Each structure stands twice: as structure tokens, then as C-alpha cells.
Amino acid sequence: MTFCKTFKNITLLSMSMLMLTTLVSCGSDTSNDEKQKLARQLKAQANESSVITVSRFSVEGVSEDKANVKSRIAYHKTFHVKACLSSKIGKSLQYRKFFVTGDNFQTIEREADESSCIRWDEPVEMDYSLPNTYLPMSRKIILSSSANISYDLKLAVNQYANSMIHGNNYHLSQGLNKDRLSNDEIINVKNIKITPKGYGLVDPRNDNLIIDKKVVVSACLNLKTNGSSLSNEFIKAKLVNLEKQENGEENAVTQMYDLTDGQLDESGCAEVKFYLEHERYTNTRRIPFNLEIEVQNKTLKNAKVTRGLCLYPWSNSGWIFAEVSRSGKCEEDNNNQRARLFVDQVSYSFLGHDNNNGFHLNNNLDLVVEKSFIVKMYPKVHYGNYAHHMNPIEPFYQGKLKLEVYFLAPLQGDIDLTNENKHKFKLISVASREVEVENNLLKARIDMPIKFVDMPYVHTRTFAAVKLSPILREGDDPRTAPRPAWAAGTFHASSKTFNSVLHTQLQVTDKFSEADYQNNKIKESMNEMIQLENYLESMSKNIQGVTKADIIKAKLAPRYTKSAEKLFTEELDKHDLFDKTINLTDRALNDKLIAENKLSQAEINGIYEDNYNANTLKKLCGAFFDQKKTGIFWKTYLDYNMKKCIERPWDFMMITPVSHVQEVISKPKVSHSNTIRISKSTGTGDYFTESNRVGWSHGYKTGVGAKLDFKLPFGDKSPVGGGVGVSASYDWSTSWSLDRSNGNNNRTDNSQGIDLYAESITLNFEAITKQCFMVEGTSKWKAVWVDNHLPSNYGLGGSLKYVAENNPMRYKVCKGVSGKERLEETWYFTGEGFQFNSILRDRLGMTENMYTMMFRGRKTLYKFMDFLSKASTSMFNIKERKNQSPDVYMLDVYKSYKEAFDSDHDLIDDQAIPGTVEKFDPIKNGGDHNFSEDSCELPKDNYNHASIDFC
């Protein structure tokens, strides 16, 4: 065998020399130098191609350099290679020295061993973007003693398989760079699992619009090229909200919470925590996210992997919370609307009136009462629709809300609040405040300022519209807040506790933008609920930033710009039964009286307070009649009226003390309150009686029944005309009688009645006032000659008689200056009582409570009661075929009274002149005189009517 190889080499060498000789000898034109040069080149080539070769190549080991001990990712590998050389001419290469060189390789010198093998290290910088295949690499082995003797070593290396081979015919294709993996393709993620772990760092109370949910993402990473796991590598991960990213919103990216969680285990797996921001009140939907994981390894060029997710953060169940979406698309929401607050039932408990701050007056003496209620409800959140269970309503557990309550009164007896009848409702009162919800329960006090003249509305059926809305903090986006709740139900202020089912629920889509609250934006396509919410929302906008004090101030806005005294004077001018009022001071009034009739200062002060007696009235007779006297020893008045007035002054005048309020300077306080029963009845009776009676009665009766002088409510309506025969004043008197009778009485009765009630509340307050009193003439006597046509005097003669006629004189006496005064005034609410259970009637309906009236001032109420008494008496005097039920008479009386005193026919008036208090004190005054001063004392126990005069 050795012989053959030697022979072969010799043959090749001989042939080469032969070729050289031939070339040199045949070229006749070639110079000797050129021939010699060519011969040397051929000789060198012949020696070069045949001297050395690599008979065996192997990898004896691979060393890896890693970022850390536990990492499986090497950033550098060193292949320990061995190449055994042989000589083609059979010459031994043992212990011969060689150079190893190549591209991007530092030339090294190695000495062959006894086996003619050399060893060196091949460094490989790991590039994980390369495909998992063999890639070419070349080296040149040069004999150090002769640079012309070398060998081109063709190699192929697979960095992933730690393999390097010799003699591979792999040729670098032109498309190799196209086969490189991008940065997002180097690694692969598998076994992704997203698990919600409840709430995160933000308090999940419901008034936090954006909360965070703790989410644990578990996944395993490996190299895409060979599938090897990325054991113990460090990673960074983030969740990218694609919706926010697309809209250019902030906080679209959520980084992993704890970097220490970012190391993979031996299997290349890890659990990474996120605190995912959750806009809880936006429309429930699957939100597209990208899970991006980046390996913190420069060798891997910080390779990233991205997976699409569809997260449903409204659920805490893992199977519904997340889905992996390789397409990056998520299912659309069926409802596509924001969550809204929801309330379906409210309980109202009447708390009472704040005696110190619950009553408010203006200078017209218009009264506003704050009625305080405890409101209790269980707010909820209506999410529209859920993917994880059927009921989309959850409790509002905890947080602050803004509560608005509106009392709306139906003017025409409507029993429901709809879009069609909303214009038939009157806004009675409103309360707005922040409230706190704890343990699902909203419980708060609301103070509802209600005008006194609006009390009939809240006494009957009223609607309470309730609005619950979120409270936006600074920086809150309104688009992430729940939509407010609007609901309405019946309300009854007269009940101690009233549970209201809010049967009118308003549900408006998000497409109903803020601009749509203007009526010109509402189209036919919008449903009626939207239009009704527009009506309610306009009221809500009007009270934004308005305090309770502002509401009270608005309700107490003065109805008139004129002073109370001016309004009172204008009202006096409308009374046709009086001449022009004579205005003067109390000093000027005293100047009209003769010396013996002059009033003391105490008497004058008493009149201002409605506290006077018969002697005071007698002195005031001189203001109406001639005070001249005649007589030598016993002087008497010449004027017949003056004489009669001294005898019975209360028949000739009426005194009305008034205070004109210029400014209320203190908060009203409650003096007392009570309920008065006013009973009217009709009936029939048959009786037989025998009686012997003796008795005496002394009483006061004003006027002659010819003049009606009730104070009108402020307006142009004239008093009731004739036919009723109402007295000119008030039958308040003191009387005594002694009755002694004996006999028999058999009686049977049948009667019917209507009970009215007048609730009253009396307030006291300080005010700057101008005090006055009216001294008004009621009647006087007129001398009339009456002819006597008796046959005995042949038609001649006659007599002088006195007949009563109206006295049109009226004085208004006022103090010279205004001053501070503590006043008392009473407000009355009259009606049919307070039993609201009926099988036939709708007692809660305003239209079925016909006997409701409002009064300010005792005198105003007694005017009504006197009207009721006299008008009813007049009707009962009419001959009837049969007895009528009392409601027939009552309805007619109310009709007549309203025609006289209620010009607007709405029963909503306090029947008094604005800003003026008419003082009336029947206890001190005793009906304009005190009988004890007439020397008419109570009869003694041994009184004998047959022998002793009582008075």
C-alpha cells in the first residue's frame, strides 16, 4: 500500500516535470527567464497540492460562557477541535509546526503531536437569530517552515447542536439572511394561563371609578429554533391595552409589578403579577390586550414574544376572565353602554322641623318650612349585560354619591309622571347633598324647604324624583363614571314613614350626549324616556352649585317691591264702604278729643297691642261724633250718636291694630302649635218640650248686619255682595247667664256632619316695624221723620225715629317712627282631616280635597269661620222641602268664599296682606270690651230673678 502511494506521488511529480519540460521546449517564442519562472510556479503548485491534507477532524469538547451559572443560554461557545494531518509524499509531520488562520480568526501556531495532529479552539459568538442548521466556516493550515505548503480546511458548524464537521459540501445560499429570525421570533411562549386574584392596591369602594385587579400570568418560554427552555432567565413583562393605545390614551401599558418575579424556573416557566387598571363602569366587553415578554439577555438580543389576549375584568372567574387570541380580535359587546346607577325603592321617614333653623320668613311674611326626612335606599349598579351570569345588577357596596330629591306636584291629579304629562307638574322643593353608602345602605337626612302656600301639594299625592350621580374627583374622566340614576315614585309628606316604589325608571343610552339635553337636538327616534330625562336633567342643571340657603332665598324672593305699609294703604283704598282713610299720628288723634276723652299714653300703647277696654272705646267716640255738651248741672252730649256711642261703643266702631314689617331681623321660633276642629252639621228633629226659664245674658254683637268688611287677600276682588248677610265684625264676646227651668223634653234627632281641621303653628320673631291701628266706623243713627197716617188725626202728624246707617269714617293712626318689635303670627292649614284610607275616594288626590285652604293670622282664620257660620245660617233659612246633607252647603260656601277671596282659584294663598300683621287677642281684649267695667258682675249665689236686677 505504501508502495502504491509512493509510486503514485512519484508518477504525479514525474508527470508535472514532464509537462514543464514540454511547455518549456515547445514555446519557441518564450524567453528563458519566463520559461524558468513558469517552471517554478508549476513546481510549487505540484508540491502544494500534494504535500499535506487533513485525514481526520473532530470536536473534542465545547465550552460555554453564560450570564449566570443557572442559565442555559450561552452567549459564547468555544469548540475544542483536533485536526490530524498527513503528507502526500509520505513524509512524517510529527512535531512539525503549523499556522492556523482564517477570516475573523486570530492566526495561531500549533505543533503536531506524535500522531501528526494539531489542536486549537474555535470561538463562536452565539447568534440566536440564525436558523438551526449547519453554516459554513473555513480555515487554512500552513506549514510554518514553508508558507507554500498549506491546506484549506472547509468546515460546517451548528451552534445549537455543539457540532462542527469537516468535508461538508454545504454552500452558503443567497437566501440565508432571509432565513434569520426577527427579534420577535427568537423565543416562544406556551402554556399561558391568566388568573384573576381579586382586587389590587386601590380601594375597591364603588366611588373609585378606576380600580386595579391583581392578575397572575403564568407562562413558559423556550427557544424557537430548538425548543430548549429558557431556564433561570430574567424577563420583563407588560400588558398593553390595545384600545387605549389605539386612542392615544395614557396608561395603556401595565408593567409587571415585582421585578423579582421575573426569573424563570428550571423549566423556563414563571408566574408574573400585574395590577391591571380596570375602568369598572365602562361598557362590559372583552378588552384586547397584548402580553409582551422580553428576555433580559443580550445574547438573545433582548428577544420579545407577544401574545394577544381578550380580558374580561368584570369577572373574577379565570375561565371567563381571559382568552388567548392569536388573531388579536375579541368579541364585541352586545349592549355597548356604560353602567348606570340604579335605585328601585326609597323609604322616607319624617324627622320633624328644626325649631332653631327650620323656619324662614321674608319681609312679606311668606313662610318657608324645612321639613326634614330620613331617606333610606339600597343603591345598585346596572352594568347592562354580563357575560358570566344573567343578572347584570350588583349592589353599590360603599362610596360617596350625590343625592338629589325633587318634589313634583301634579296640578291636575295625575297619578303617574310621564313624558306626556310632565308639564302638568309643579316643582315644590329640592334637596341636594353628598351622601355616604355603607354596607349597601344609603341613609341620609334631607331638608326640603317648602313654601307654606305649597303645603296642600305635599299633603296630598306628590311625586319624588330621585337622582343618584357619581361624584367626580379632580382628574376623573366622566366617560369612566357610571351614568346617573333617574327614578320617580309617589311621595306623601303627611305620613310618618312612607315607602315609595320607584316605578318610573329612566334608561338612556350613551348616544344621548350632553348636547342632546337641548330640546332642539331631540328627534323622533329618541324615545319618550329620553325626553323625560331631558326635562328632569334640566332641573338638575339649574341647581348645580346651588346650596340649601340659595334655594330658600329663591323661595323667599319678595313678591312685591312696595313696602308693606304701601300695600296695606292701597288695599284700604279698594274698600267701597269707607271714605278716604284719614292718616294721622296718635298725638293728632288725641288732639281731636276733648279733655275728658283724651287717651293716656298707656291706653294708646294698649290699642297698638290690641289690649284695651270699654272706657278706651268710649273716649274714641269723639273721633266720630260731636263732643259738645249741654246742661247746667248734669251735662250731656247734644249729638244723639255720641250719647249712644258712650252707652255701647262697640256697636259704633271696630279697632284693628296692625304692624307693617319693614325687615325681619331674627330667625322665627315656634311658640306653639295645635289642631282646631271646625264642625258643621245638618239634621232634622222632632221634639216636644215644656220649660219655665228665667235668665239674663249680656254679650257683644258688632254692627248692624248691613256692612261686610272682611280683609281681602291682596287683589282686586270685591267682597261678597248682598244675600249672605254677614256681620261686619267678629262675634267674640264674654257673657254670663243664669237659667232655671223645669219641665219635660222628648226629642229625636237625625244629623249629618263634616269635620274640618285647622292645623296651626305660631312663630315669634323680631322685626323692624311701623305700628299702626285702624279705628273704623261701623254704624251710626240717622234721624228720620215718620208720618203718622192714623184716622184719628186725619192724616196729620208724625214722629221722629232713628234708623241705622253705615258710618264710612276710618282713621289710620301710626307711631311717628319705626322700631324693633317682637311679633307673633300664626299660619293655618285647613282641610278635611287626615284619614286617607277610602274605598271610594282618592284622598291623596289634590282634586278630591276640596276643603283645603291656607291662612295667615288668627283674624284671617276667624274671618273664614265667621263667613262659614253666617253663610250657612243664611242658607238654612231658605225653605227646603227636605233636609240636605252638609256637603251640599259646604261646597256652596267654599264656592262663595273662593269667589270673594281666592281670585286665582288655586287655594294657594295665605289670605293676608303681604308684610302686615293684624293683631288679634281675644283673651286680653275680650271682644273689644271688658264686662267687669260695666259694673255687671256675676250674680250672687242667692240671686232671685223676681226681686233683684242682675245688672
Side-chain angles (χ1 to χ4, degrees):
M1 189 71 179
T2 303
F3 173 79
C4 293
K5 290 181 179 179
T6 304
F7 179 80
K8 181 180 179 181
N9 292 334
I10 295 173
T11 304
L12 290 173
L13 180 61
S14 299
M15 290 178 64
S16 299
M17 295 300 295
L18 179 61
M19 291 175 61
L20 176 62
T21 304
T22 305
L23 290 172
V24 172
S25 61
C26 294
S28 58
D29 296 331
T30 303
S31 65
N32 290 331
D33 294 338
E34 291 176 346
K35 291 177 181 178
Q36 292 176 1
K37 181 178 180 181
L38 180 60
R40 288 194 298 272
Q41 291 176 350
L42 291 173
K43 183 179 179 179
Q45 291 176 1
N47 291 334
E48 183 177 308
S49 63
S50 61
V51 175
I52 62 175
T53 184
V54 174
S55 59
R56 188 169 68 251
F57 181 86
S58 64
V59 177
E60 293 187 325
V62 179
S63 300
E64 297 182 351
D65 295 324
K66 301 177 181 178
N68 58 72
V69 177
K70 295 182 177 181
S71 175
R72 292 187 183 181
I73 302 299
Y75 61 84
H76 181 273
K77 289 184 178 182
T78 301
F79 287 77
H80 307 293
V81 300
K82 180 177 76 171
C84 295
L85 306 176
S86 62
S87 171
K88 292 182 180 181
I89 58 177
K91 195 171 183 179
S92 175
L93 298 178
Q94 294 177 339
Y95 309 113
R96 301 290 298 269
K97 293 184 178 180
F98 296 90
F99 292 108
V100 181
T101 186
D103 295 336
N104 300 320
F105 184 81
Q106 185 176 1
T107 302
I108 58 174
E109 186 180 22
R110 292 289 185 268
E111 182 178 336
D113 60 10
E114 68 275 6
S115 301
S116 301
C117 297
I118 60 174
R119 291 174 176 84
W120 76 91
D121 292 338
E122 283 289 346
V124 175
E125 293 295 331
M126 295 299 292
D127 184 355
Y128 290 95
S129 67
L130 294 173
N132 187 5
T133 186
Y134 284 90
L135 301 178
M137 185 176 68
S138 63
R139 296 287 181 265
K140 178 176 276 193
I141 301 175
I142 304 171
L143 184 64
S144 60
S145 59
S146 175
N148 294 327
I149 299 175
S150 64
Y151 180 77
D152 290 332
L153 180 63
K154 303 296 184 182
L155 300 173
V157 61
N158 187 326
Q159 61 180 359
Y160 302 105
N162 291 342
S163 175
M164 189 178 291
I165 60 176
H166 168 235
N168 195 313
N169 293 323
Y170 182 90
H171 296 285
L172 185 64
S173 66
Q174 294 180 353
L176 179 63
N177 287 332
K178 295 181 181 179
D179 294 335
R180 281 181 176 271
L181 300 176
S182 68
N183 195 39
D184 295 335
E185 296 175 323
I186 294 175
I187 60 175
N188 185 41
V189 61
K190 61 181 181 179
N191 299 332
I192 298 176
K193 183 179 180 181
I194 298 96
T195 307
K197 296 290 186 178
Y199 297 106
L201 303 176
V202 179
D203 190 340
R205 53 186 286 141
N206 291 88
D207 53 1
N208 285 328
L209 305 183
I210 300 176
I211 59 174
D212 58 345
K213 305 201 79 171
K214 185 178 179 180
V215 178
V216 175
V217 177
S218 59
C220 299
L221 300 180
N222 57 16
L223 288 174
K224 193 171 186 178
T225 52
N226 63 356
S228 62
S229 63
L230 301 182
S231 303
N232 303 307
E233 291 297 323
F234 286 93
I235 61 172
K236 283 185 178 179
K238 59 184 177 181
L239 288 171
V240 181
N241 188 319
L242 300 182
E243 282 184 354
K244 290 187 174 183
Q245 189 178 64
E246 182 179 352
N247 297 330
E249 298 180 31
E250 298 180 354
N251 304 321
V253 177
T254 302
Q255 301 287 352
M256 56 186 280
Y257 174 66
D258 192 348
L259 292 179
T260 60
D261 291 342
Q263 187 174 15
L264 304 178
D265 60 17
E266 289 292 336
S267 301
C269 301
E271 288 187 349
V272 183
K273 285 188 296 187
F274 293 91
Y275 287 100
L276 184 64
E277 214 175 59
H278 175 34
E279 297 174 347
R280 65 205 300 185
Y281 298 120
T282 55
N283 58 301
T284 57
R285 67 204 183 281
R286 300 189 185 277
I287 304 174
F289 277 84
N290 272 347
L291 171 64
E292 295 183 4
I293 301 175
E294 178 182 316
V295 180
Q296 300 300 292
N297 191 318
K298 293 182 180 179
T299 305
L300 296 177
K301 300 179 181 179
N302 293 337
K304 300 178 181 178
V305 63
T306 300
R307 282 291 180 270
L309 303 175
C310 294
L311 301 186
Y312 190 83
W314 288 269
S315 172
N316 288 320
S317 176
W319 67 271
I320 196 69
F321 181 83
E323 294 178 355
V324 178
S325 172
R326 292 188 176 274
S327 66
K329 294 182 179 180
C330 302
E331 296 179 18
E332 293 185 359
D333 178 37
N334 295 329
N335 205 355
N336 192 27
Q337 69 176 28
R338 277 188 301 154
R340 63 184 176 91
L341 297 172
F342 177 77
V343 58
D344 55 0
Q345 188 167 352
V346 181
S347 173
Y348 303 91
S349 297
F350 178 57
L351 189 61
H353 302 147
D354 187 336
N355 189 33
N356 293 322
N357 300 296
F359 300 90
H360 308 271
L361 290 173
N362 63 9
N363 295 337
N364 289 151
L365 297 185
D366 298 322
L367 174 63
V368 168
V369 180
E370 287 186 52
K371 299 187 78 66
S372 298
F373 298 89
I374 296 296
V375 178
K376 186 171 71 173
M377 66 185 78
Y378 294 89
K380 302 177 180 66
V381 181
H382 197 309
Y383 288 93
N385 70 304
Y386 267 160
H388 54 295
H389 55 76
M390 293 180 63
N391 186 7
I393 300 176
E394 290 186 354
F396 188 99
Y397 293 100
Q398 182 184 23
K400 290 185 176 181
L401 292 171
K402 183 179 180 182
L403 171 66
E404 299 172 33
V405 180
Y406 300 82
F407 286 173
L408 301 169
L411 300 177
Q412 299 179 15
D414 293 271
I415 61 172
D416 199 1
L417 175 63
T418 65
N419 181 55
E420 290 80 4
N421 68 1
K422 61 180 182 291
H423 61 280
K424 300 179 184 178
F425 283 76
K426 176 182 179 180
L427 179 61
I428 300 299
S429 186
V430 59
S432 174
R433 60 163 297 177
E434 290 187 5
V435 293
E436 184 83 27
V437 179
E438 291 285 350
N439 194 25
N440 306 352
L441 175 63
L442 186 160
K443 185 168 61 175
R445 168 182 165 177
I446 58 172
D447 299 322
M448 303 298 290
I450 301 173
K451 294 173 70 173
F452 169 70
V453 293
D454 286 337
M455 289 293 180
Y457 292 121
V458 294
H459 172 65
T460 53
R461 181 183 299 108
T462 311
F463 281 82
V466 177
K467 180 182 182 182
L468 277 180
S469 53
I471 297 175
L472 299 181
R473 303 185 183 96
E474 185 177 356
D476 284 345
D477 186 348
R479 294 173 298 178
T480 65
R483 292 178 296 128
W486 268 114
T490 54
F491 172 76
H492 185 210
S494 294
S495 299
K496 174 64 178 176
T497 302
F498 187 77
N499 292 317
S500 177
V501 177
L502 303 180
H503 53 274
T504 301
Q505 295 285 336
L506 301 181
Q507 301 181 34
V508 183
T509 65
D510 282 341
K511 296 179 181 179
F512 186 42
S513 65
E514 187 172 288
D516 292 326
Y517 287 131
Q518 307 301 322
N519 285 327
N520 57 357
K521 290 276 186 172
I522 296 179
K523 301 177 181 178
E524 291 182 359
S525 59
M526 294 184 180
N527 60 38
E528 294 181 353
M529 285 295 136
I530 294 178
Q531 298 182 44
L532 180 56
E533 187 185 48
N534 175 39
Y535 165 74
L536 296 173
E537 194 65 28
S538 63
M539 291 193 300
S540 178
K541 287 188 175 184
N542 290 336
I543 69 163
Q544 297 304 313
V546 176
T547 64
K548 182 177 71 173
D550 296 328
I551 295 172
I552 294 172
K553 183 179 179 181
K555 288 184 174 294
L556 291 177
R559 293 178 289 163
Y560 309 100
T561 57
K562 299 176 182 178
S563 68
E565 186 176 9
K566 179 66 174 175
L567 293 171
F568 187 84
T569 302
E570 290 179 353
E571 187 63 25
L572 294 182
D573 293 340
K574 298 174 184 177
H575 294 185
D576 298 332
L577 298 177
F578 289 97
D579 293 338
K580 186 173 181 59
T581 303
I582 302 171
N583 294 284
L584 66 168
T585 64
D586 48 37
R587 178 175 295 181
L589 175 65
N590 235 356
D591 291 341
K592 286 182 170 290
L593 306 178
I594 60 177
E596 62 186 77
N597 288 337
K598 288 190 181 298
L599 300 170
S600 67
Q601 190 60 47
E603 288 178 310
I604 293 174
N605 293 338
I607 297 175
Y608 281 122
E609 299 299 331
D610 199 35
N611 186 11
Y612 49 89
N613 54 38
N615 287 333
T616 303
L617 294 179
K618 291 177 182 179
K619 295 178 181 180
L620 288 174
C621 291
F624 295 99
F625 308 113
D626 191 351
Q627 302 176 71
K628 290 180 181 180
K629 289 187 173 183
T630 184
I632 299 175
F633 299 105
W634 293 278
K635 293 185 178 294
T636 58
Y637 292 104
L638 289 173
D639 190 340
Y640 180 80
N641 280 298
M642 187 66 184
K643 292 178 182 178
K644 293 299 182 182
C645 185
I646 292 297
E647 293 174 4
R648 299 179 61 85
W650 47 86
D651 284 345
F652 292 84
M653 70 186 74
M654 183 169 60
I655 295 180
T656 306
V658 296
S659 287
H660 301 305
V661 175
Q662 297 175 348
E663 182 183 3
V664 177
I665 59 175
S666 74
K667 281 190 173 294
K669 307 286 184 180
V670 176
S671 294
H672 59 273
S673 63
N674 54 36
T675 301
I676 302 170
R677 180 183 178 190
I678 306 170
S679 181
K680 300 301 294 183
S681 63
T682 62
T684 59
D686 299 311
Y687 63 92
F688 168 80
T689 182
E690 289 183 355
S691 176
N692 296 318
R693 177 179 182 274
V694 62
W696 183 92
S697 175
H698 190 174
Y700 160 55
K701 183 177 182 181
T702 61
V704 294
K707 181 171 69 174
L708 175 65
D709 181 32
F710 289 121
K711 295 295 184 293
L712 289 170
F714 194 68
D716 298 329
K717 204 73 176 175
S718 299
V720 175
V724 177
V726 181
S727 176
S729 61
Y730 306 90
D731 288 342
W732 288 92
S733 63
T734 304
S735 62
W736 294 264
S737 65
L738 178 65
D739 291 335
R740 293 179 176 177
S741 63
N742 53 64
N744 297 311
N745 187 2
N746 297 315
R747 183 182 181 90
T748 177
D749 292 303
N750 180 25
S751 64
Q752 305 173 59
I754 290 180
D755 287 334
L756 301 181
Y757 291 86
E759 287 191 346
S760 70
I761 188 164
T762 301
L763 305 177
N764 69 82
F765 54 94
E766 284 190 344
I768 303 298
T769 65
K770 187 168 185 181
Q771 288 185 265
C772 305
F773 60 83
M774 307 293 300
V775 184
E776 300 171 313
T778 57
S779 63
K780 61 182 179 179
W781 296 104
K782 179 182 179 181
V784 178
W785 181 262
V786 179
D787 292 332
N788 189 348
H789 299 288
L790 295 176
S792 58
N793 58 9
Y794 305 101
L796 300 177
S799 61
L800 190 65
K801 291 188 178 181
Y802 288 91
V803 295
E805 66 176 3
N806 178 49
N807 185 355
M809 291 185 67
R810 177 162 59 187
Y811 295 95
K812 184 181 181 186
V813 182
C814 296
K815 290 184 177 180
V817 294
S818 302
K820 184 188 295 186
E821 183 183 6
R822 179 159 288 278
L823 295 172
E824 267 197 356
E825 184 67 308
T826 304
W827 285 259
Y828 295 92
F829 176 95
T830 66
E832 249 192 284
F834 309 102
Q835 176 61 39
F836 284 93
N837 298 322
S838 172
I839 192 63
L840 183 61
R841 295 180 58 186
D842 178 13
R843 289 297 313 277
L844 289 174
M846 182 69 177
T847 55
E848 295 192 32
N849 285 269
M850 302 297 296
Y851 301 133
T852 301
M853 281 192 181
M854 315 295 289
F855 302 99
R856 174 171 66 80
R858 291 190 183 96
K859 205 165 187 179
T860 312
L861 175 68
Y862 297 151
K863 169 190 66 179
F864 167 72
M865 293 171 63
D866 197 47
F867 187 98
L868 190 65
S869 175
K870 298 302 190 297
S872 299
T873 301
S874 176
M875 292 181 200
F876 289 139
N877 288 334
I878 301 174
K879 186 176 181 180
E880 294 280 356
R881 277 182 168 271
K882 60 181 179 179
N883 187 56
Q884 299 291 340
S885 62
D887 59 307
V888 175
Y889 300 114
M890 289 291 289
L891 288 174
D892 195 69
V893 170
Y894 267 72
K895 179 181 178 182
S896 300
Y897 188 86
K898 286 189 290 183
E899 287 177 352
F901 301 106
D902 183 23
S903 58
D904 296 330
H905 297 282
D906 60 358
L907 298 179
I908 307 304
D909 198 329
D910 61 11
Q911 318 281 333
I913 299 176
T916 294
V917 175
E918 293 190 49
K919 297 178 181 178
F920 183 67
D921 193 340
I923 297 176
K924 291 182 180 179
N925 181 22
D928 288 343
H929 80 126
N930 190 319
F931 288 102
S932 65
E933 298 179 9
D934 292 337
S935 299
C936 292
E937 303 294 342
L938 287 173
K940 298 178 181 180
D941 292 338
N942 58 354
Y943 169 72
N944 186 340
H945 69 277
S947 59
I948 303 174
D949 289 335
F950 177 71
C951 183

